[in-house]
Amino acid sequence: MHPNTLSTGCPWDGSPRTALARRPLRVAATSPSRLLRAGQSGRCRHCGNRIDLYPRADGQPIALHPAELVTAHVPAACHWHLSSGIAHPHSDGSAWCRIPHAVLCPQRTPVCRISPPLTSVRRQLAVRTRRLIDTGVFTTPTAAPTSAEPDGPGRPVVRMLLGHYLADGPVEAIRCVAQTSHRHRCSRPVLAPDSPPGSWRLLPIGPQRGQLALPEQTTAVYDLSQLPHAEQRRWRMQRCPAHATTHGAADLALAGWQVVDPLLHAQHLRTGLPYPPAHGSGER
């Protein structure tokens, strides 16, 4: 005797199968950050543990520990709270706060004196790192090679919108951060073949406000300042031409730009133009 099976795709009791409608994530037009909350999570490149990325008030990203901690257990200098998707470096008066991942990362030296509860969390992250390494999910980073860079610097300095920014990768590898219709990050590069390119030039990089005067030096800069303002904004938003005018598409990652500081970023400054030049480049 064989049981009767339904071939209509219904459950065993014959009730209709209803598929729940998928609700797309949307970003409010008044939100100071267009980054989707679902796209904020990442992995620490030092320990492999999960981190949450948020933009600070100055536009720079910060990696926070995913869970909230008791404010009394966290040093005052490490208190962070979120407001409208922006991370602020102080407490909001509640009993809970967020903490930078750098304080708890087991592969880094603690930046401040931590309490026993934080030491316990740090120990748990160390055990998780060891488990990720043993299962092959995570590998410890190796030192970057010191060979020459014939195709251009690994993290070039880019001039746009009257400022100098340090990229998170080669010019050709800078990837669009927008979300596609399939809810994945766009795979197109920002340097599109049909868009006007910049040019490599030797330009002086001055000190930041409040720093002592530095000796006059020139640095290889990928100059976009001669492009139209809309093109420079597209680069600053880190979007491909297809998503440059798509205001409804949210971001699935933070733009990788950092304001250049000649003292902090001295290792990335190059005194010679790359050879051969990048796509469409050439000193003007």
Side-chain angles (χ1 to χ4, degrees):
M1 183 175 181
H2 298 281
N4 295 327
T5 58
L6 298 176
S7 60
T8 59
C10 299
W12 64 271
D13 58 354
S15 59
R17 185 184 299 276
T18 57
L20 298 178
R22 300 177 64 183
R23 295 193 306 168
L25 292 174
R26 299 184 182 275
V27 178
T30 57
S31 174
S33 171
R34 297 192 59 81
L35 184 68
L36 285 176
R37 299 285 81 82
Q40 285 183 273
S41 299
R43 294 282 180 178
C44 175
R45 61 179 180 178
H46 299 285
C47 66
N49 288 289
R50 180 190 156 195
I51 55 177
D52 284 349
L53 297 171
Y54 287 92
R56 304 183 306 191
D58 59 359
Q60 299 298 320
I62 183 173
L64 299 180
H65 184 63
E68 291 185 324
L69 300 175
V70 180
T71 304
H73 297 163
V74 180
C78 301
H79 290 176
W80 285 78
H81 81 280
L82 304 176
S83 178
S84 300
I86 306 298
H88 300 275
H90 51 77
S91 177
D92 59 351
S94 64
W96 303 87
C97 70
R98 302 293 292 270
I99 184 173
H101 174 75
V103 180
L104 301 176
C105 182
Q107 300 295 333
R108 300 184 183 182
T109 303
V111 295
C112 61
R113 190 172 184 179
I114 59 178
S115 60
L118 296 186
T119 303
S120 177
V121 176
R122 183 182 173 91
R123 189 179 302 112
Q124 295 174 9
L125 294 180
V127 173
R128 191 175 304 169
T129 298
R130 174 50 55 185
R131 186 181 301 117
L132 294 175
I133 295 176
D134 293 341
T135 57
V137 177
F138 172 73
T139 56
T140 55
T142 57
T146 57
S147 59
E149 300 169 339
D151 298 330
R155 298 190 62 185
V157 177
V158 179
R159 176 175 172 80
M160 54 183 167
L161 300 177
L162 302 179
H164 293 90
Y165 298 88
L166 185 68
D168 59 353
V171 173
E172 300 83 356
I174 299 177
R175 182 180 165 193
C176 179
V177 298
Q179 181 191 37
T180 64
S181 58
H182 298 286
R183 301 184 182 182
H184 300 297
R185 180 176 174 180
C186 178
S187 59
R188 300 188 187 97
V190 178
L191 181 62
D194 55 348
S195 62
S199 59
W200 287 104
R201 303 179 62 186
L202 292 176
L203 299 176
I205 301 294
Q208 298 294 316
R209 181 177 300 178
Q211 294 180 348
L212 297 177
L214 299 176
E216 185 71 16
Q217 62 175 351
T218 57
T219 303
V221 175
Y222 191 69
D223 188 18
L224 301 172
S225 60
Q226 299 187 22
L227 300 184
H229 180 78
E231 275 294 300
Q232 296 185 52
R233 285 202 59 200
R234 180 179 71 82
W235 277 83
R236 181 63 180 87
M237 295 170 60
Q238 200 168 321
R239 291 202 169 201
C240 65
H243 288 106
T245 57
T246 308
H247 300 288
D251 294 343
L252 282 184
L254 289 170
W257 305 111
Q258 295 185 39
V259 178
V260 172
D261 188 321
L263 298 179
L264 297 178
H265 304 140
Q267 59 179 334
H268 302 293
L269 304 183
R270 300 291 183 267
T271 57
L273 294 174
Y275 182 83
H279 163 75
S281 62
E283 188 176 5
R284 295 178 181 175

